[in-house]
Amino acid sequence: MNRNAHENHEPDEAPHGAASSSSQPSWYALDEERVAEELNAGADGLSDAEARRRLEQQGPNRIGRRRRIGVWQVVLHQFQSPLIYVLLGALVVTVTTALITGEQRWSDAIVIGLVLVVNGTVGFLQEYRAEHAVEALMKMVAPRATVRREGVEKRIDAEKLVPGDVVLLDEGHVVPADMRLIDVNSLQVNEAALTGESVPVSKTEEPMADGDERPPPAEQKNMAFMGTAVTSGSAAGIVIATARQTEIGRIAQQVEEAGDTQTPLQRRIQRLAILITWGILIIAAIAFGVGLLMGRDWSRMITLAVALSVAAIPAGLPIVVTVALAIGVRRMARRHAVIRHLPAVDTLGSCTTIVSDKTGTLTQNRMTVRSIHADGRRFDVTGDARSPKGGIHRDDEAVNPNEHRALFETLLVGVLCNDAELPADVARPSQTESRGGHKKPSDGSEGEENDEEGGDEHDFSGDPMEIALLYAGLKAGLDRHSLDEQYPLIHEVPFRTEKRFMASIREVSEAARGHSPENDGPLVLVKGAPETVLNMCDDYRTDDGGATELDREAVIGQSESLAGEGLRTLAMAIGRGEQIAEAVKRDEPGGLTFVGLQGLLDPPRSSAVRAVDDCHRAGIRVIMVTGDHGRTASTIARQVHLDRPARAALGSRRNVRDRESDDEQNRLDAHTGREISEFSDDRLDDALAGSNVFSRVEPAQKTRIVDRLKARGEIVAVTGDGVNDAPALKSAHLGAAMGSGTDVAKEASDMVITDDNFASVYHAVEEGRTAFRNIRMATFFLLSTGAADVLIILIALGLDWPLPLLPAQILWCNVVTNGIADVALAFEPGEPALYRRPPRPPAEGVLDRTLLERLVIVGVWLAVGVLGVFLWKWGFNFGAWDGREENLTIARTAALTTLVLFQKVHVFNCRSEDVSIFKKSLLANKLLFLGVLTSLAVHIAAVYIPLTQDLLSLAPLDAMTWVIAAVVASTAIIVNELHKRLRPRYRGRVDAGEANGNEER
């Protein structure tokens, strides 16, 4: 192959892979050397300089242009709400009326115009920032690719790939570009994204015959295409096309770019806005008609209709929704949960069940071998989890593995049937430590106190279980690098979930024959699930190197014993000869000799235990689905408290007692994948109702569990990290992929947990609930004050009074003085009471029945208070009115001031649905506190500044009026507190112990 051809590449020559599809060679028909020659590349990859040149020439490797956030697009979006349409209509009507009547009353039109500008400006700033914040977060989980450049492997953004790059593929990777495969090792690719065929396709590196017609992608066995997923095996490939030159890129060109998808919450807000708009129009039209029938002047009735229209509009609602969602996304990111799809924020607030995997999520994923069973005897492995220091002991006595053939071969299989790599700077154990020596046995506690918070000082490559097997070998003196020289690799059968074993076929060198079976031929090493490996074995290795009859029941008993201690068990087997090797290659292994078991410990995360308890208190059930042995799964489940019921979803203490009286052990009875395969849907539903643990579960079965939970009305979140988790992640309402997981899992998910911790999943649920609560309470605040405005105007119409509030004054109150406060509600932190109640029903509207009831009560009370102050200042005496404009102006100013003060008090009531205002720290939401002070200062200034006096028809107020208005406004606290106490939304859940607002997060 031309390894350095790229160095002679002409600067002005474009790589062939970037040409149009019609000029591209038939890559599938070319051998490796010809592909490299066509692309002017080499096996060591491109140079960095050449890669940069090609990237500048060809552009980034992405399909279509990245959605740029256009300034004018965001500006126009601020005026696309039905609520804003009403304001625009009111502006047109006001201007038209002023022109027709000749009256020089332009204040309403000016204020409406200013409101539209202010609303659009605030909305633009918030939406623009939110869009950029989400875009920045998405860069954290952008697709990556492993490339070889100048002979060095490195991870780069997939967008930076260019034709000629050598890309390394492994299980779990999403293919980042179209490539011609080389160095294929048992590679299987799921091409459903391209062909629709869900069955993985086996790949080869051999060139195909070039016929008259180009074969479809599904038949090109030596090609890997962008967007497909590696399900098993590994390979290298030379990139032959990127971006829109790829197969999937050409398909994308034929499809129109989809528009933005609204979240369920945004759709509910949109429906609410449409409902409010129609309600406003109907009420305004009725009021206008009734006024004309009563003989009122038409221009006065138009003013009233405009006042009604602007009074009921919660103009700040679209801004609040945008801000609350953006804040939720940022808060989740700070707590290690990166949202990939915005609907996840809404879904999290309704989550009722979390289906979690075990390893690395509920546990630390720092596995260590703690026990080995070989020739019927138990050996203990001592030392830290990720350190070569330690040894093999039996009955507290150091053991030399070379003197125990079965033990030696058990460790040998673990080291050689292994894809992991240890850091280069890991020291090899000394002879005294690893081969018997005099090292004092350790209980293994050393280093485990670190828990998940501390990291390892080394960088590891590979599955944590296989890393643990390598360290166990080091503690016994088996070094991977020297063993690779003694047993060169011939072929490898990668682990697949459905097969539950991995095999390595190796040649035996002369130096190693002393430790090998007598017969000739390659050495076959197999590790996997005990029940799977035992079915491949005919006999049992003894310590003297011989073989005896296999007692399967005895081995299963040893495995059960280890599983009962919470250890994950792996069985090891060994064989020799071409016949056995060929059978393994065909996935039909047999004739092996069982050599032993290794038991691995993966301690639970302490933070995950706390998070599971928090889930239960929040009414969220946690189900563990794992590939482990049933007893291992049950033991770990007990350690992380999965045996405890979800309590907060229960509405009465009687139900709590009933639930607590359940047999907790039933929740830990692990149902196996084999049982699930035989269950009908009804029987599986019964199993899901009674158990929280499912073991030895295959990918299709995990997806079926998710689907049955959904069928039962549950809102399901699923965690996962592997290729096999992708179907369940996609099927769930919310898929949460682990940050260290495969690209396939991340692509199928709605959220990425960057620290792989179950606690972060629960924290995301908390933030989801908080975001929805803030939107709900901001909506309640805006609609309750809007309802008061409408009642004030309708009462004035019915009693033939002049308008207590002019349209310009209402808009001033609702947008200018209120706009800061309602947006600040989106920044309200969570509270313990919010996380101790049942999940929100997904079909529930933005406001539930209790809050609608409170809205009516508060709206009426605010209207009564404002009208009372208006009448007092107006000098109303049983219907008599002296008609003095100056008196009416003062009365309107007093009424407006009372309404402003009402809102400043009422906004603090709206910080929580149930928690008393007196239990909420005043400074927990500093932005709200400062916003209220700022908006109040703005209104006070407006009352006394001549310019705003003329614009809003205001007059200065005396001190007594301010005192009376403040006293009346403070009564809003009494009304809200009484309703919270007499009509709590969740009885028994709001008390001093759980609803202490000073404990906010």
Side-chain angles (χ1 to χ4, degrees):
M1 177 187 272
N2 184 6
R3 295 178 180 269
N4 300 305
H6 61 274
E7 299 297 342
N8 300 320
H9 185 70
E10 292 296 328
D12 57 350
E13 181 184 353
H16 290 250
S20 64
S21 59
S22 59
S23 63
Q24 286 189 3
S26 299
W27 300 107
Y28 55 87
L30 303 182
D31 59 23
E32 182 178 341
E33 287 74 17
R34 281 292 308 282
V35 171
E37 182 181 344
E38 288 284 341
L39 292 167
N40 210 355
D44 289 337
L46 303 174
S47 67
D48 288 333
E50 175 62 15
R52 284 194 297 270
R53 193 191 73 80
R54 295 190 184 190
L55 182 64
E56 292 175 0
Q57 186 180 61
Q58 302 302 323
N61 175 36
R62 56 173 176 257
I63 297 176
R65 297 179 180 178
R66 175 177 290 168
R67 187 171 70 96
R68 296 295 178 184
I69 305 168
V71 173
W72 286 109
Q73 183 180 3
V74 178
V75 170
L76 293 176
H77 186 254
Q78 307 313 309
F79 300 93
Q80 294 177 359
S81 167
L83 302 176
I84 302 301
Y85 298 157
V86 175
L87 282 181
L88 289 170
L91 177 63
V92 172
V93 170
T94 303
V95 172
T96 302
T97 302
L99 291 174
I100 293 176
T101 60
E103 297 180 6
Q104 299 301 312
R105 295 179 56 192
W106 293 95
S107 60
D108 288 346
I110 293 172
V111 172
I112 293 174
L114 287 174
V115 164
L116 288 170
V117 171
V118 170
N119 189 77
T121 302
V122 175
F124 165 78
L125 292 175
Q126 292 295 342
E127 183 173 341
Y128 196 76
R129 287 181 59 192
E131 290 281 0
H132 277 286
V134 172
E135 186 179 70
L137 289 174
M138 285 303 296
K139 292 179 180 178
M140 295 174 60
V141 291
R144 306 271 289 172
T146 302
V147 300
R148 187 185 297 143
R149 286 184 176 169
E150 298 179 328
V152 178
E153 294 181 11
K154 59 180 70 177
R155 292 279 287 172
I156 66 171
D157 291 338
E159 287 191 354
K160 296 180 179 179
L161 288 176
V162 295
D165 263 326
V166 176
V167 176
L168 306 181
L169 299 176
D170 206 345
E171 179 179 337
H173 289 177
V174 172
V175 179
D178 284 5
M179 59 187 67
R180 170 65 163 84
L181 295 172
I182 58 177
D183 300 332
V184 174
N185 182 18
S186 303
L187 184 71
Q188 289 195 320
V189 180
N190 187 319
E191 297 182 336
L194 185 65
T195 66
E197 176 56 55
S198 61
V199 178
V201 178
S202 296
K203 294 293 185 176
T204 180
E205 60 195 50
E206 299 300 325
M208 298 172 57
D210 192 11
D212 295 335
E213 295 185 3
R214 173 187 172 91
E219 296 179 9
Q220 297 180 29
K221 302 299 184 182
N222 55 12
M223 300 287 295
F225 299 101
M226 184 179 189
T228 59
V230 179
T231 58
S232 64
S234 62
I238 301 178
V239 175
I240 56 96
T242 60
R244 287 192 175 271
Q245 299 301 321
T246 63
E247 290 290 337
I248 203 165
R250 284 193 284 272
I251 295 173
Q253 287 180 315
Q254 303 170 14
V255 181
E256 292 184 359
E257 186 173 352
D260 292 337
T261 301
Q262 286 187 316
T263 71
L265 173 62
Q266 288 173 322
R267 287 195 293 269
R268 284 197 290 267
I269 293 290
Q270 185 78 354
R271 288 197 298 268
L272 178 63
I274 293 172
L275 180 63
I276 292 172
T277 300
W278 281 107
I280 291 170
L281 295 176
I282 292 172
I283 292 174
I286 292 174
F288 182 79
V290 170
L292 292 179
L293 292 176
M294 294 173 64
R296 308 285 177 84
D297 180 70
W298 71 271
S299 61
R300 181 183 173 190
M301 293 314 303
I302 285 180
T303 302
L304 183 141
V306 169
L308 271 175
S309 299
V310 300
I313 292 177
L317 188 56
I319 301 174
V320 172
V321 174
T322 301
V323 173
L325 291 176
I327 292 170
V329 169
R330 289 202 295 270
R331 284 177 173 174
M332 290 177 190
R334 286 199 297 268
R335 303 182 81 175
H336 309 291
V338 178
I339 299 298
R340 297 186 69 250
H341 303 299
L342 205 54
V345 180
D346 185 24
T347 305
L348 283 164
S350 303
C351 180
T352 61
T353 302
I354 299 176
V355 178
S356 176
D357 56 357
K358 177 183 73 69
T359 304
T361 306
L362 293 171
T363 61
Q364 297 178 25
N365 206 19
R366 296 181 76 245
M367 286 188 169
T368 177
V369 176
R370 283 293 173 226
S371 182
I372 300 174
H373 274 272
D375 194 19
R377 287 177 288 181
R378 174 170 178 155
F379 301 88
D380 295 317
V381 183
T382 63
D384 193 10
R386 289 187 173 175
S387 169
K389 297 180 180 180
I392 312 296
H393 294 79
R394 184 168 186 268
D395 297 330
D396 293 336
E397 294 292 333
V399 171
N400 185 350
N402 289 324
E403 298 174 359
H404 300 268
R405 172 61 72 83
L407 173 62
F408 175 85
E409 290 187 350
T410 302
L411 291 163
L412 181 70
V413 174
V415 172
L416 290 182
C417 191
N418 197 311
D419 286 332
E421 292 289 342
L422 294 183
D425 59 342
V426 172
R428 298 184 181 181
S430 66
Q431 294 292 320
T432 57
E433 287 180 332
S434 62
R435 296 186 184 275
H438 304 288
K439 182 176 175 63
K440 184 179 179 180
S442 166
D443 60 3
S445 61
E446 177 187 0
E448 289 181 16
E449 295 294 331
N450 196 19
D451 198 10
E452 68 272 12
E453 307 307 331
D456 297 303
E457 58 179 312
H458 301 295
D459 293 326
F460 299 89
S461 172
D463 185 278
M465 179 182 65
E466 298 196 329
I467 291 172
L469 295 175
L470 291 180
Y471 271 115
L474 279 178
K475 291 171 183 179
L478 279 71
D479 176 63
R480 170 70 174 271
H481 298 290
S482 61
L483 288 175
D484 279 338
E485 296 175 359
Q486 298 178 53
Y487 303 93
L489 179 66
I490 299 174
H491 184 78
E492 188 174 73
V493 178
F495 178 84
R496 297 201 300 276
T497 303
E498 65 276 11
K499 296 296 184 181
R500 308 197 67 80
F501 78 92
M502 175 184 179
S504 179
I505 303 174
R506 293 182 174 258
E507 181 182 346
V508 182
S509 67
E510 291 294 334
R513 290 190 183 278
H515 295 311
S516 300
E518 299 301 329
N519 53 318
D520 295 329
L523 183 67
V524 179
L525 308 165
V526 175
K527 79 170 190 292
E531 55 269 31
T532 301
V533 173
L534 284 173
N535 289 333
M536 307 174 185
C537 298
D538 293 340
D539 48 24
Y540 186 97
R541 176 72 72 218
T542 58
D543 252 0
D544 59 5
T548 187
E549 182 180 356
L550 177 62
D551 186 347
R552 286 180 171 81
E553 294 300 325
V555 176
I556 291 296
Q558 294 166 2
S559 177
E560 293 279 354
S561 176
L562 292 174
E565 300 174 26
L567 301 181
R568 181 173 184 176
T569 56
L570 284 174
M572 312 292 171
I574 201 163
R576 189 73 175 267
E578 291 289 350
Q579 186 175 355
I580 293 178
E582 289 302 319
V584 168
K585 292 179 182 179
R586 297 193 305 269
D587 279 345
E588 299 173 355
L592 301 176
T593 298
F594 178 82
V595 296
L597 299 169
Q598 294 199 46
L600 300 96
L601 175 68
D602 187 11
R605 293 178 184 260
S606 57
S607 57
V609 176
R610 293 191 297 270
V612 170
D613 288 339
D614 287 337
C615 284
H616 291 159
R617 282 190 286 268
I620 301 172
R621 183 184 176 198
V622 181
I623 295 175
M624 185 172 77
V625 176
T626 178
D628 287 340
H629 188 281
R631 290 193 63 184
T632 303
S634 294
T635 300
I636 296 296
R638 183 176 291 104
Q639 293 173 356
V640 297
H641 298 174
L642 290 190
D643 54 329
R644 304 182 181 184
R647 304 174 189 275
L650 308 172
S652 70
R653 296 187 182 279
R654 177 185 63 81
N655 286 337
V656 171
R657 287 196 300 269
D658 291 345
R659 186 72 168 267
E660 288 176 342
S661 66
D662 290 347
D663 181 8
E664 294 189 354
Q665 180 58 39
N666 289 341
R667 285 188 288 274
L668 294 181
D669 287 341
H671 291 283
T672 66
R674 182 173 299 177
E675 292 173 333
I676 293 173
S677 65
E678 298 173 355
F679 284 167
S680 65
D681 285 347
D682 291 340
R683 180 68 185 88
L684 181 55
D685 288 347
D686 292 339
L688 287 168
S691 177
N692 292 338
V693 184
F694 295 83
S695 66
R696 293 285 195 253
V697 173
E698 296 181 3
Q701 294 166 343
K702 185 174 182 178
T703 305
R704 187 183 173 205
I705 288 173
V706 173
D707 291 340
R708 291 315 305 165
L709 288 168
K710 290 167 60 179
R712 298 174 66 214
E714 304 284 345
I715 303 300
V716 185
V718 171
T719 71
D721 57 4
V723 175
N724 296 319
D725 293 317
L729 290 168
K730 197 73 175 176
S731 178
H733 294 101
L734 179 82
M738 298 298 107
S740 63
T742 61
D743 295 338
V744 176
K746 293 175 185 176
E747 286 295 317
S749 68
D750 307 288
M751 180 172 71
V752 176
I753 304 301
T754 57
D755 65 350
D756 293 7
N757 195 337
F758 180 84
S760 298
V761 180
Y762 171 72
H763 293 156
V765 171
E766 285 187 340
E767 297 300 344
R769 288 192 176 191
T770 299
F772 182 83
R773 189 279 311 271
N774 291 345
I775 292 172
R776 163 174 274 175
M777 296 313 293
T779 304
F780 166 71
F781 171 67
L782 292 170
L783 293 185
S784 57
T785 55
D789 295 341
V790 171
L791 284 174
I792 290 169
I793 295 170
L794 290 179
I795 291 173
L797 171 64
L799 298 177
D800 198 20
W801 295 346
L803 283 177
L805 298 169
L806 296 174
Q809 294 172 340
I810 294 172
L811 279 174
W812 170 263
C813 178
N814 287 354
V815 177
V816 180
T817 67
N818 228 19
I820 301 175
D822 58 21
V823 171
L825 280 175
F827 291 83
E828 185 68 23
E831 59 196 11
L834 186 62
Y835 316 134
R836 303 295 184 265
R837 63 178 55 148
R840 171 177 53 85
E844 186 176 88
V846 180
L847 300 180
D848 63 8
R849 182 177 299 178
T850 305
L851 283 180
L852 287 172
E853 179 183 296
R854 190 181 301 169
L855 184 153
V856 173
I857 294 173
V858 171
V860 171
W861 188 258
L862 264 62
V864 170
V866 171
L867 285 174
V869 173
F870 173 76
L871 294 178
W872 168 56
K873 297 302 293 183
W874 180 27
F876 179 76
N877 184 18
F878 299 104
W881 173 47
D882 59 15
R884 289 184 299 167
E885 187 68 25
E886 180 183 356
N887 203 36
L888 183 58
T889 301
I890 293 176
R892 282 172 171 162
T893 305
L896 176 63
T897 299
T898 303
L899 183 59
V900 169
L901 292 175
F902 256 133
Q903 291 175 334
K904 301 313 148 201
V905 172
H906 183 48
V907 73
F908 288 100
N909 289 320
C910 298
R911 296 175 64 196
S912 176
E913 300 162 87
D914 301 298
V915 177
S916 169
I917 190 175
F918 301 110
K919 294 179 180 178
K920 299 282 290 184
S921 172
L922 192 63
L923 298 178
N925 186 349
K926 295 182 179 65
L927 186 62
L928 177 63
F929 183 73
L930 294 174
V932 167
L933 291 180
T934 301
S935 60
L936 187 58
V938 169
H939 178 71
I940 293 172
V943 171
Y944 296 100
I945 294 176
L947 178 62
T948 50
Q949 286 178 349
D950 294 339
L951 184 64
L952 299 173
S953 301
L954 301 177
L957 298 176
D958 56 56
M960 179 57 68
T961 303
W962 279 101
V963 171
I964 296 299
V967 170
V968 172
S970 65
T971 60
I973 296 176
I974 300 174
V975 174
N976 273 276
E977 288 298 305
L978 285 173
H979 192 267
K980 286 181 180 180
R981 178 60 58 184
L982 299 176
R983 292 295 305 275
R985 301 175 72 251
Y986 301 100
R987 295 189 181 276
R989 304 312 303 170
V990 182
D991 52 50
E994 292 186 348
N996 186 356
N998 293 323
E999 297 178 11
E1000 288 150 347
R1001 311 207 172 192

